[in-house]
């Protein structure tokens, strides 16, 4: 079949949003027993944005989604699907996607959340792509949005310095041709629940809980899982490591980014890195990094992109996209 006969999900626009307040490592070290040197050396993080009381997962998501719609040249009535990835919804229910839908004025279309923590955007992307390719949607908003600052234990210096808040969004549209999502692979392994989790929940403690992590073990699994899923998705989509123009990884830690790129033999210049200024924003991190590199003109039309992420569950996945 010629490429012109294949229906694909094409990225038509990107957008992102960050809370107003940016916190440096030096500022953080006034309230947490840490230092700028420790954080930079172990993680590459210099800054993170932290939501104020009036900033929520839905408000950040709405701003990012509106920018993505504007970039795509679409209006609210064009959107027929909203998939929002988050582990920090405004409320346990309804889905934050429906709050965003109402704010954008896309009322009536399909809207729901997916929960796959830091891999959430890859999961959301895959669901939206499947619905587009089966004809269930034509123009989808895929959003990753988080306010992780609200589930951090600010007494636990081993975790609270690592995360930040933010949102990223894309518009995916159905188009025939050779552009768009060429392949996606997702995985989960619930055996690793206790390495990265939140110690509360609506159906257990009746509280939201705080993030808990065994950082060293997560690090080890991340590098192995990410390198392996990247190889899988490249093989599935018939692409080679050399053909990748940009790797857009989940921004957890600069050392994980460097180690994964090295394991794959990818030059560091092809890896989009925003962890230094955003820290780990969970489901928001991949679309935030993507939007950053689209807007600073590094990413150009026809470039081959690979998105990847790994997070609590464990969950992990990767997607190959002709932009
Ligand atoms: C979290 C992480 C940066 C910690 O680095 P590490 O080299 O594994 O460090 P450890 O946890 O073993 O701690 C080493 C020492 O630093 C100390 N330390 C931990 N956090 C600190 C901080 N913020 N400031 C200063 N010291 C700190 C520890 O107390 C420990 O001290 P000790 O040796 O006296 O006991 C690293 O494990 C990591 O990046 N893991 C992956 C996490 C991740 O990306 N998770 C999200 C995936 S979605």
């Amino acid at each position: 079949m010629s490429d012109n006969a294949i229906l694909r999900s094409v990225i038509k626009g990107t957008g992102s949003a960050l809370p107003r307040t940016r916190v440096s490592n030096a500022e953080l070290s006034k309230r947490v027993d840490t230092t700028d040197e420790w954080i930079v050396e172990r993680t590459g993080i210099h800054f993170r944005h932290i939501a104020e009381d009036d900033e929520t997962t839905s408000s950040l998501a709405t701003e990012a989604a509106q920018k993505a719609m504007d970039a795509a040249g679409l209006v609210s009535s064009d959107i027929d699907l909203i998939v929002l990835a988050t582990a920090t919804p405004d409320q346990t229910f309804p889905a934050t996607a429906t709050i965003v839908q109402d704010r954008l004025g896309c009322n009536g279309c399909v809207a729901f959340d997916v929960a796959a923590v830091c891999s959430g955007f890859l999961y959301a992307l895959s669901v939206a792509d499947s619905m587009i390719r089966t004809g269930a949607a034509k123009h989808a908003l895929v959003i990753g949005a988080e306010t992780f600052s609200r589930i951090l234990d600010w007494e636990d210096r081993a975790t609270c310095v690592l995360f930040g808040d933010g949102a990223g969004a894309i518009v995916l549209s159905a188009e025939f041709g050779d552009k768009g999502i060429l392949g996606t692979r997702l995985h989960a392994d619930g055996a690793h629940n206790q390495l990265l989790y939140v110690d509360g929940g609506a159906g257990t403690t009746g509280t939201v809980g705080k993030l808990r992590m065994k950082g060293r073990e997560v690090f080890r699994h991340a590098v192995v899982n990410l390198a392996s899923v990247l190889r899988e998705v490249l093989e599935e989509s018939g692409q080679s490591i050399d053909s990748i123009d940009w790797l857009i990884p989940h921004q957890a830690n600069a050392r994980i980014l460097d180690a994964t790129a090295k394991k794959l033999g990818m030059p560091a210049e092809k890896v989009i890195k925003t962890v230094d200024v955003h820290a780990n924003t969970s489901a928001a991190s991949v679309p935030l990094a993507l939007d950053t590199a689209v807007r600073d003109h590094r990413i150009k039309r026809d470039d081959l992109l690979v998105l990847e992420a790994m997070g609590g569950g464990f969950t992990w996945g990767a997607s190959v996209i002709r932009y």
Side-chain angles (χ1 to χ4, degrees):
M1 200 174 359
S2 96
D3 275 349
N4 288 338
I6 301 176
L7 184 64
R8 297 190 202 276
S9 310
V10 179
I11 300 179
K12 301 302 283 184
T14 66
S16 60
L18 290 163
R20 293 185 295 278
T21 305
R22 190 170 84 151
V23 180
S24 69
N25 294 340
E27 286 166 300
L28 201 59
S29 67
K30 289 181 192 148
R31 62 189 278 202
V32 180
D33 178 18
T34 189
T35 59
D36 178 53
E37 295 71 33
W38 192 94
I39 300 173
V40 172
E41 189 193 315
R42 305 285 174 125
T43 72
I45 295 166
H46 292 263
F47 299 98
R48 75 282 297 139
H49 288 250
I50 302 287
E52 300 285 347
D53 290 348
D54 64 332
E55 293 170 312
T56 59
T57 295
S58 68
S59 73
L60 296 168
T62 304
E63 187 184 334
Q66 184 64 59
K67 287 179 184 163
M69 277 165 50
D70 293 347
L74 295 178
V75 294
S76 50
S77 56
D78 295 319
I79 301 297
D80 49 17
L81 171 66
I82 302 175
V83 190
L84 187 148
T86 190
T88 47
D90 285 17
Q91 295 156 268
T92 303
F93 79 83
T96 301
T98 62
I99 303 171
V100 173
Q101 175 192 48
D102 186 45
R103 296 219 180 119
L104 292 172
C106 308
N107 306 60
C109 76
V110 181
F112 59 95
D113 291 357
V114 299
V117 206
C118 297
S119 316
F121 186 76
L122 269 299
Y123 271 70
L125 188 72
S126 173
V127 171
D129 177 38
S130 303
M131 290 180 71
I132 284 176
R133 284 186 293 110
T134 55
K138 277 203 176 69
H139 299 291
L141 271 170
V142 185
I143 309 168
E146 304 278 16
T147 42
F148 253 53
S149 61
R150 302 209 164 109
I151 55 164
L152 296 176
D153 176 354
W154 289 97
E155 304 294 313
D156 177 13
R157 66 178 182 171
T159 55
C160 72
V161 303
L162 305 174
F163 295 89
D165 302 331
I170 64 171
V171 171
L172 277 185
S173 295
E175 264 181 23
F176 287 97
D178 58 0
K179 278 203 185 69
I181 299 178
L182 306 183
T184 302
R185 290 302 287 255
L186 301 174
H187 292 282
D189 185 353
H192 301 294
N193 178 306
Q194 291 301 304
L195 297 183
L196 179 52
Y197 65 103
V198 165
D199 63 1
T204 50
T205 57
T207 61
V208 172
K210 298 288 181 207
L211 182 144
R212 306 291 169 209
M213 179 172 70
K214 296 202 170 71
R216 200 159 272 217
E217 286 160 76
V218 173
F219 192 111
R220 199 165 41 81
H221 283 278
V223 176
V224 173
N225 288 345
L226 289 171
S228 122
V229 75
L230 280 166
R231 288 201 185 95
E232 273 177 63
V233 78
L234 285 171
E235 194 180 320
E236 179 192 308
S237 51
Q239 302 293 333
S240 66
I241 287 176
D242 294 342
S243 62
I244 302 174
D245 292 300
W246 298 106
L247 179 65
I248 303 147
H250 170 48
Q251 308 286 320
N253 181 318
R255 282 157 64 219
I256 297 181
L257 269 59
D258 294 341
T260 309
K262 196 171 161 202
K263 210 167 165 48
L264 288 167
M266 274 203 68
E269 312 83 72
K270 290 187 169 185
V271 181
I272 305 289
K273 243 190 228 182
T274 52
V275 65
D276 52 341
V277 288
H278 297 158
N280 182 346
T281 57
S282 185
S285 95
V286 169
L288 255 171
L290 173 65
D291 185 54
T292 302
V294 164
R295 284 176 193 265
D296 69 20
H297 307 295
R298 270 178 290 172
I299 293 179
K300 299 189 176 55
R301 284 290 166 194
D302 283 325
D303 280 356
L304 190 71
L305 316 181
V306 179
L307 278 46
E308 50 96 320
M310 142 108 189
F314 290 143
T315 54
W316 65 104
S319 187
V320 175
I321 303 171
R322 178 71 63 193
Y323 179 67

